[in-house]
Structures are given as C-alpha cells and as structure tokens.
C-alpha cells in the first residue's frame, strides 16, 4: 500500500512538473484554457482561418503545420500567406506543379529569410497534397510607396502592377483601432501614411483570399498577428466584401507566465497561442 502511495505521488509530481514546463497553452477569446482538440473542432466548419503568427516563433510555425495537416483530414483546403507577394504567384505555382525545383523557386521568388525552416513545410505540404496556395500580399515596394506618399501614388503605376493588389481605390477607415494604434506606437513619427500602407496590405490579402476561396473549402491564411488581431485588418476587409463569410482567427502571444493569459491579450482572437517567452525563436 505504501509503495502504491509513493508511486501515485511520484506520478502526480511528474504530471504537475510537466504542466509547469509546457512551452505553450491555448486559450479562447475570453482567456479560458482549452485543448488542441477542442480548438480544432471549432475551426472545422469555417470558411476562412486567419492564423496570426509572430514571424520568428517556432511554436506558432509548428502549430500552423499541425493544424493544417489535421484540418486536411476533415475539409478540402486552400492555403494562402502574407509571406508570398502576388507578383511571385507564377513562381509559386510552378513549384507546386513540380515544374521547377526549390533552387529555382529561391531565385525566382522573394522568399523570406526564414522560409526554409518556417514556411517551406507548409508549401511542401500543399505540393504533396495538390492544394492551391495563394500569394496574397502586395509587393512590398508599393506598400513603401504608400507609406511615403499615400494612396495617390498608386495612380502612377501601370495596369499590370495594379493586378498585384486590391482594386483601387483602397477602402480606408483611419479610425480602425489597429491603424490608430500604429500611429500611437510610432509617436506620430510615421505620419498618417504609415497605416495606409498597412491597409494596402490588409486589403490586398483579403482580396486574394476571396479570389482563391471556393465554396465548400476552408482557406487557411498565415499572416503576422497584427494583420488580424482584434478582428481588425484583413478581417475588416473580408467582412466588408462578404459579410456572410465565416471567419475564425488565431493569434500568437508571448508571456513569462503562460498559465494565465494577460489581460492585454484577452479578446485578441478566437484562439490564442500563449508561448513561453523563453522559447527559442527561429531567427
């Protein structure tokens, strides 16, 4: 009896230790913990999943792949990502079709520096399973132009270049919380055009999400969390164009204590990945 008690105590201690040493905890929008299985179940019946990441967060990238694999078992998928700019769609399609190799994709497309570790697994999963993958982002040079000169500079570009972004003129609401916060974070130094550049990205990503989404499919879109936090950004543009679309959001946050979600993160998304701040980053 004494041995059984000691073994039980040891197992309980190990269980508690394991819980303390978890690298991440999942929360719902209200800050309530939930299991991966419950989150997955609630994702399954949606039209669009906006998966907000920290670009260098290893846990977020791992979960993106795992969620994608598991949802593939339940739904027909389409994928899309901020990390691919629309003028690189042709190169991405050639790679997915097996027409070019990875080395050629490296030279033909502007891949992020963490592509090999963080995004290649998603692209290769799409390739292996013949899943369409949308390059949803506006080419960064146009966002840079808008950050300096506002939306008016887009009137100077060619008709071909305009096909790589949302149709002009870009709808814009300067009072959206995310855009107001950008100006606050910059202390006013970025000027009123900085959030317009962000809006160009958000509007373009929403436009190509809708272009690639097909009825009956679930489109999973990978983007920086700021583009979809608080149901703002991409979400606002999607709803503006298709109010009936069933959208679900995931965000990523980092905390010292992951066993209680900080108040500042409550309501950030439908589901929140709370990662231990000591977790190794990919760059």
């Amino acid at each position: 009896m004494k041995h059984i008690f000691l073994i039980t105590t040891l197992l309980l201690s190990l269980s508690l230790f394991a819980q303390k040493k978890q690298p991440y905890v999942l929360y719902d929008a209200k800050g309530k913990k939930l299991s991966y299985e419950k989150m997955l179940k609630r994702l399954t019946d949606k039209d669009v999943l906006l998966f907000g990441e920290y670009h260098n967060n290893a846990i977020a990238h791992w979960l993106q792949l795992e969620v994608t694999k598991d949802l593939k078992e339940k739904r027909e998928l389409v994928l899309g990502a901020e990390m691919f700019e629309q003028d690189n769609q042709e190169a991405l399609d050639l790679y997915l079709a097996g027409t070019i190799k990875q080395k050629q994709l490296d030279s033909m497309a502007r891949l992020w520096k963490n592509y090999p570790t963080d995004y290649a697994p998603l692209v290769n999963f799409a390739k292996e399973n013949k899943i369409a993958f949308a390059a949803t982002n506006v080419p960064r040079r146009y966002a840079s132009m808008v950050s300096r000169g506002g939306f008016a500079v887009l009137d100077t570009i060619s008709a071909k270049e305009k096909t790589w972004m949302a149709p002009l003129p870009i709808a814009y609401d300067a009072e959206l919380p995310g855009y107001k916060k950008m100006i606050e974070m910059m202390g006013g130094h970025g000027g009123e055009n900085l959030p317009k550049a962000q809006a160009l990205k958000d509007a373009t990503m929403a436009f190509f999400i809708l272009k690639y989404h097909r009825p009956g499919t679930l489109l999973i879109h990978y983007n920086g969390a700021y583009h979809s936090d608080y149901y703002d950004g991409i979400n606002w543009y999607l709803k503006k164009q298709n109010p009936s679309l069933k959208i679900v959001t995931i965000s990523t946050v980092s905390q010292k204590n992951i066993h209680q979600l900080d108040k500042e993160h409550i309501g950030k998304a439908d589901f929140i990945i709370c990662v231990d701040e000591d977790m190794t980053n990919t760059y």
Side-chain angles (χ1 to χ4, degrees), residues 105-255:
L105 179 64
D106 291 343
S107 61
M108 293 174 66
R110 294 181 300 278
L111 303 179
W112 288 21
K113 63 182 179 180
N114 58 326
Y115 174 83
T117 56
D118 300 341
Y119 306 113
L122 295 167
V123 173
N124 289 331
F125 180 77
K127 182 180 179 182
E128 292 162 10
N129 291 276
K130 302 186 185 307
I131 299 171
F133 200 120
T136 61
N137 207 357
V138 67
R140 67 191 67 184
R141 59 188 176 275
Y142 303 114
S144 296
M145 288 169 60
V146 170
S147 70
R148 295 191 299 270
F151 291 129
V153 300
L154 298 177
D155 294 333
T156 66
I157 65 176
S158 69
K160 175 65 175 177
E161 292 171 298
K162 289 175 182 177
T163 65
W164 300 327
M165 62 189 69
L168 302 180
I170 301 295
Y172 178 64
D173 184 351
E175 294 303 308
L176 288 178
Y179 300 153
K180 290 178 70 174
K181 188 175 180 180
M182 285 188 74
I183 293 177
E184 292 170 8
M185 289 169 62
M186 296 298 294
H189 298 299
E192 64 178 14
N193 287 330
L194 185 62
K196 290 179 182 178
Q198 181 84 349
L200 175 63
K201 295 178 182 180
D202 292 337
T204 297
M205 285 188 271
F207 175 75
F208 286 105
I209 286 171
L210 290 173
K211 181 176 179 178
Y212 272 77
H213 180 263
R214 303 190 309 276
T217 64
L218 168 59
L219 191 148
I220 305 176
H221 189 262
Y222 316 104
N223 53 263
Y226 201 86
H227 287 287
S228 52
D229 278 351
Y230 298 108
Y231 312 99
D232 212 342
I234 300 170
N235 191 92
W236 185 82
Y237 284 99
L238 287 173
K239 284 294 189 182
K240 186 174 181 64
Q241 296 176 67
N242 186 348
S244 65
L245 202 66
K246 293 186 292 184
I247 305 168
V248 63
T249 59
I250 295 176
S251 188
T252 305
V253 302
S254 180
Q255 295 182 185

Side-chain angles (χ1 to χ4, degrees), residues 42 52 65 76 123 175 272:
R42 297 180 194 177
L65 183 59
E76 182 181 354
V123 173
E175 294 303 308
I272 300 158

Side-chain angles (χ1 to χ4, degrees), residues 47-102:
D47 298 316
V48 174
L49 163 57
L50 300 177
F51 200 131
E53 64 172 45
Y54 284 172
H55 296 317
N56 64 351
N57 189 276
I59 290 292
H61 291 302
W62 170 66
L63 279 172
Q64 284 174 336
L65 183 59
E66 293 304 303
V67 166
T68 301
K69 287 179 176 179
D70 289 337
L71 286 174
K72 173 66 173 62
E73 298 299 314
K74 303 173 183 294
R75 294 287 303 278
E76 182 181 354
L77 300 182
V78 178
L79 307 183
E82 170 194 3
M83 301 80 200
F84 293 95
E85 296 167 18
Q86 177 55 208
D87 59 338
N88 288 160
Q89 183 72 63
E90 183 179 0
L92 180 57
D93 287 342
L94 289 171
Y95 178 72
L96 292 171
T99 306
I100 62 173
K101 302 295 185 183
Q102 180 61 57

